[in-house]
Amino acid sequence: MAEIDFEGVTKVFGAGPPAVDGLTLHVNEGEFMVLVGPSGCGKTTALRMLAGLEEISSGTLRIGGVVVNNTLPKDRDVAMVFQNYALYPNMSVEKNIGFALKIRGDSKSEIKRKVDEAAAILHLEDYLERRPKALSGGQRQRVAMGRAIVRSPRAFLMDEPLSNLDAKLRVEMRLEIARIQRLLGVATVYVTHDQVEAMTMGDRVAVMRDGKLQQVDTPQDLYDRPANEFVAGFMGSPPMNLIRCRVRSGEDRVEVVFGDQVVELPWHYTSSHTLPPSGVDVVVGVRPEDVLVADASSTNTIKARVERREALGSEILVHLSHLDVTVGTEVATRDDARVSTLVAKMGPRSSVSVGDVLSVQISPEHAHFFDAVTGATLREN
Amino acid sequence: MSVMTTNAPRARRLTLRRRRQLAGFAFALPAIALVVGFIGVPIGQAVYYSFTQWDGLTSTWIGWSTWSQAFHNTDLWTALENNAKLLITVPFALGLPLLIAVLLHQRVAGWRIFRSIYFLPTAISWVVLGLVAERFFAYQGTLNSIIHFFGFAHTNTNMLGYESTALTALGITFIFTMIGTNTILFLTGLATLDPTLEEAARIDGAGRWRIFRSITLPHLSRFIQLAFVVTVIALFSALFSLIFVMTGGGPGYSTTTMEFLIYQTGFNQGDFGTAALYGLILFVLTAIVGIVQLRLIGSNE
């Protein structure tokens, strides 16, 4: 068991921009750290540098306080689970799991004991004699896990281990991996592009984009207090509504202008956020569950028309279009169809239908404000 | 039209399974015709000629006498012995390419150039290779120049000139002619090896040798088996041009293989009956190697 320290770690391939750019990240002993981001964000490269499969261009990487920049993978004492599992096709499940122990020089009885122990944790006892080819996807995934845990390594590295499984199995294995990690208490770095995995599995989540770390926080803090527009849009499904609008402030009131509609903000936002002066654009972020249908007596509402209605059983996603609004910033890259609408999450019994014109209200406590140019949060502290 | 109407009900009486079999047979017919015409018939002819005295013009039926005499012929046993001795080259003809392929696969600097160099002999006629080899091993050839260059001025070799060494020289030449083909074959095999397996093994603590033994070699086993068959068949039935150019089967019978013996018996001695019999023996030997090997591959998959 050990802690892991990335300190300004950078990886440059050829002449292009860095794949990982000055990554500084600390993973505590026994912590489950999820690296999440869209494809090409550098999360897998970061993991491969940690494994020793990729050289570090600059910066310092420590495992257990020891610099491992030039340490061979075999001497790092870390175990890795690959996306395609990378099971040795010519070896039985038992041999696959015991391979590292055999190389390490453990005695036959010792190997047998440890393999059986790992197999019991993973419910693989009945498959020990089989070759990987004769296993289902879920079983292969378990063997890959077994190969990692049997060594009692200092750290687990997992590279999208669930992405080749079907949806149901993925949910199952998500819980399983989290359970085993808690059971063994080994520091784990888990790479995924799936924000649901990130939210549900990680003690903390590191969001990356274009090789740069955007934010590291507990899942709930990431969701509630995103550091920038990208994190806000990446975490959560459906994603946060990000609307560009203009600030208008007077002596005792501050408003945002959505096209020709005006919403007054609760005064407390002026103390918790550094809102720009009157006439400057901001990006307002609202989670779909914070878009509420207003009743007749409400003030501060926006008129919007229901364009689309997606019933998901437990909830209904309502796509609303509001009048004359220019949206999106250079920071958030969103497809056109999405930016023109505001998505609201409503209860399964809501009786809205396409074409209705609703008065909606933004939950006054839960609006987010981002700089319209840099995308950084305007929240203070 | 009338043909169709009378045939239609009959076709319907056939089961689907039966009709599929018929269609399958119909599609296979051209291939069957080719195999029978170009392989079956010549083999049949060879069997027939082995029972005759045939000088190329007239043949007379002499029954089993060719067969009984042939097995008392010491030349046959010498040729078979030479073939057996040459089998020693097979591990080298597989091992060297394996080594080269693994090195090239590591993408060593200039691997593309090296790959071309190793593959070059494959694109050159074996007659030319034989001529080059003959010059290499000759008394005033390259080999002796190299030996002299390293300071052994009074050491001279003449491997092709002596019965004791000519077969070795031939074997070495054969190994070199096979390197290109087998290297490319192994490189192809290595290209299909999932690189994450090696990475997983490295993280599991495996060194280079362990990765080769536990990951690379098992993956290549089918390619090695294929290379083995190709190499043995080449050894038995493609060495003619090298022998013809380098030694002419000599000195004495020291480099005469079965294949070369067939040529000598048929065309030099005009005894096509016996040559046909030798041909059958070589065919059976080659077939045994092929079948055994196919069985081995089959049992794995």
Side-chain angles (χ1 to χ4, degrees), chain B residues 278-295:
Chain B
Y278 292 165
L280 286 175
I281 293 170
L282 183 59
F283 170 73
V284 170
L285 286 177
T286 314
I288 288 170
V289 173
I291 289 166
V292 167
Q293 199 55 34
L294 280 175
R295 278 285 153 79

Side-chain angles (χ1 to χ4, degrees), chain A residues 119-180:
Chain A
I121 293 176
L122 293 157
H123 314 300
L124 282 168
E125 298 98 324
D126 298 338
Y127 306 102
L128 286 176
E129 297 309 314
R130 291 212 195 158
R131 294 278 178 96
K133 211 191 274 180
L135 298 176
S136 71
Q139 288 162 346
R140 284 180 207 182
Q141 218 288 322
R142 285 166 192 276
V143 177
M145 281 295 294
R147 209 165 57 177
I149 67 174
V150 76
R151 290 170 48 192
S152 321
R154 295 199 294 173
F156 289 140
L157 318 182
M158 305 194 189
D159 186 10
E160 311 217 10
L162 302 183
S163 60
N164 286 352
L165 300 179
D166 63 53
K168 187 164 171 279
L169 212 49
R170 202 177 305 163
V171 174
E172 216 171 89
M173 284 309 293
R174 207 160 73 196
L175 296 168
E176 187 79 1
I177 290 177
R179 174 181 75 88
I180 291 166

Side-chain angles (χ1 to χ4, degrees), chain B residues 11 19 78 85 92 109 111-112 157 208-209 211 237 241:
Chain B
R19 274 198 276 170
T78 308
K85 280 180 184 164
F92 296 99
W111 65 276
R112 282 172 205 278
T157 63
R208 269 168 197 274
W209 174 241
I211 291 171
S237 61
S241 46

Side-chain angles (χ1 to χ4, degrees), chain A residues 54-77:
Chain A
E54 218 66 79
E55 269 179 48
I56 295 167
S57 304
S58 66
T60 313
L61 178 62
R62 291 190 187 87
I63 301 176
V66 180
V67 177
V68 293
N69 282 35
N70 296 312
T71 308
L72 288 173
K74 67 187 177 79
D75 300 323
R76 293 193 185 200
D77 194 19

Side-chain angles (χ1 to χ4, degrees), chain B residues 222-285:
Chain B
R222 271 183 302 161
F223 292 88
I224 292 170
Q225 285 168 347
L226 175 63
F228 179 85
V229 174
V230 170
T231 305
V232 171
I233 289 176
L235 186 65
F236 280 5
S237 61
L239 224 48
F240 178 85
S241 46
L242 288 185
I243 298 169
F244 191 84
V245 172
M246 289 173 70
T247 65
Y253 279 92
S254 64
T255 57
T256 300
T257 60
M258 276 304 286
E259 185 194 9
F260 204 73
L261 185 66
I262 294 166
Y263 163 76
Q264 284 183 324
T265 310
F267 291 93
N268 288 356
Q269 297 164 17
D271 185 358
F272 286 95
T274 310
L277 174 60
Y278 292 165
L280 286 175
I281 293 170
L282 183 59
F283 170 73
V284 170
L285 286 177

Side-chain angles (χ1 to χ4, degrees), chain B residues 149-228:
Chain B
F149 178 81
F150 283 103
F152 303 96
H154 301 290
T155 310
N156 283 303
T157 63
N158 186 8
M159 290 184 77
L160 295 177
Y162 296 98
E163 285 192 25
S164 56
T165 51
L167 195 66
T168 308
L170 181 67
I172 291 169
T173 310
F174 172 71
I175 291 168
F176 273 89
T177 53
M178 288 310 291
I179 281 178
T181 318
N182 287 345
T183 301
I184 292 293
L185 193 61
F186 294 149
L187 271 177
T188 311
L190 287 170
T192 63
L193 177 62
D194 177 3
T196 58
L197 289 183
E198 196 196 314
E199 292 178 348
R202 277 166 67 195
I203 292 173
D204 271 347
R208 269 168 197 274
W209 174 241
R210 166 70 78 168
I211 291 171
F212 178 74
R213 233 181 44 191
S214 299
I215 312 291
T216 315
L217 211 54
H219 173 78
L220 283 181
S221 67
R222 271 183 302 161
F223 292 88
I224 292 170
Q225 285 168 347
L226 175 63
F228 179 85

